[in-house]
Every structure is written in structure tokens, then in C-alpha cells.
Amino acid sequence: MNRQIDQKITILGIGNTLFSDEGVGIHLLPLLEDALKDYENIEIIEGLTDGMKLLGPVEDAENLIIIDAINAGKEPGTIITLVGDEIPAYFGIKMSIHQLGFQEVLLAAKLRERFPKQIVMFGMQPTSLQMGIELTETNQKKLGCLAETVIEQVKSWRDVS
């Protein structure tokens, strides 16, 4: 049962920091790096808009957490959780600069039968996708809540009780 503690968890932040809230997955990573620094076997990757370059890290992941802006038509700043097969469906409706590249990464990993054992996507409803390098005030205020959500997922995967 202690194997679960040793399982590697990959946290992948994707997004474009030039379009305000589209960069939430990247802006969150420093908070996670600090909060999870004492955890072993956690890999945090800044995926930006790297598309197919992320195939290797996705295929190598046992347990994958993806963080991105998610346009689900909710109130700005809403934290959204998608699990397993819900994730590709989200990419079907999301309008984003890097959407197509990452959807292809997930499909390729699945076709090559190298899909992560567990996969969860956390995101936040953007307030604005206008040009700008900072998150909007609404989304910035919710960044701590999003970090807590990700940390709770890490802890649940590490729970051996």
C-alpha cells in the first residue's frame, strides 16, 4: 500500500500569459512549487502553449494534473474540475490558442496506450482573454483557492488510509 506514496505526480500548467486569464495555469505554478516543496516525486512542468512537445511528459505521467483556463460559461473566477474522459470533451468546446495542440497530445497518448493512470484537470473560468500579462483582479483573488484544490488532489492521491 505504501507504493501510493511513491507514485509520481506530474502537474502541468498550460496557458498563454500574454492573454490575461488565459495564463492562469502558468501563474499558479510558483504557488504550487512553494506549497509542495516538501513532497517527493512531484514534477511541475510549465507547459505554456507547447502542444505536441508535451507528449513525452504526458505519456511518462502516472498521475497527471493539468491546470488551465477553462471557458465553461460560468461566473468569472469559478474553479472547474474535470476528471478522466471529461477532459477531451472540454477541449471540444474551448476556444484557446493552445487548445488544438494539447487535445492532440491527449489523443496521441491514448492511441499509443500510454495515457496516465489518473488524470484530472483543474481550471478557472476566465474573466478576460484580452491582451495583458497579468491575471484580472477577479481571477487573481481566486488563485489561492485553485492552488488549494490542486494540493487537495495531490494529498488524496497520496493518502494511504
Side-chain angles (χ1 to χ4, degrees):
M1 197 83 160
N2 282 346
R3 272 186 41 234
Q4 206 166 0
I5 292 175
D6 298 332
Q7 284 182 352
K8 182 178 165 192
I9 296 174
T10 303
I11 299 172
L12 174 61
I14 57 178
N16 190 327
T17 55
L18 298 178
F19 293 95
S20 51
D21 294 337
E22 174 66 18
V24 72
I26 304 303
H27 289 288
L28 187 66
L29 296 184
L31 293 177
L32 295 177
E33 286 169 354
D34 186 54
L36 298 170
K37 66 181 179 283
D38 295 330
Y39 283 71
E40 292 182 26
N41 241 350
I42 303 264
E43 181 179 20
I44 297 177
I45 300 171
E46 186 176 284
L48 297 169
T49 58
D50 288 345
M52 287 304 281
K53 292 180 189 170
L54 297 172
L55 182 60
V58 168
E59 288 186 337
D60 291 343
E62 289 178 63
N63 306 288
L64 178 63
I65 296 172
I66 305 162
I67 305 156
D68 194 9
I70 298 177
N71 188 358
K74 306 270 186 198
E75 185 177 323
T78 300
I79 294 171
I80 297 153
T81 303
L82 301 167
V83 180
D85 290 338
E86 294 174 338
I87 296 167
Y90 137 79
F91 279 109
I93 59 168
K94 182 171 185 270
M95 295 308 295
S96 160
I97 291 166
H98 58 268
Q99 149 193 344
L100 188 59
F102 199 72
Q103 184 179 19
E104 290 170 346
V105 167
L106 294 178
L107 179 62
K110 214 169 230 186
L111 289 173
R112 291 160 45 107
E113 297 181 0
R114 295 190 56 196
F115 205 69
K117 190 168 48 177
Q118 299 183 96
I119 183 169
V120 178
M121 181 172 215
F122 296 109
M124 191 184 300
Q125 175 70 41
T127 301
S128 171
L129 299 176
Q130 298 299 312
M131 187 79 100
I133 59 169
E134 300 294 326
L135 294 176
T136 59
E137 187 178 342
T138 300
N139 289 60
Q140 183 67 45
K141 284 180 180 176
K142 296 282 187 135
L143 212 52
C145 293
L146 183 57
E148 278 304 311
T149 303
V150 174
I151 293 162
E152 286 304 313
Q153 182 64 59
V154 169
K155 288 178 179 176
S156 78
W157 281 347
R158 291 287 168 93
D159 184 14
V160 292
S161 57

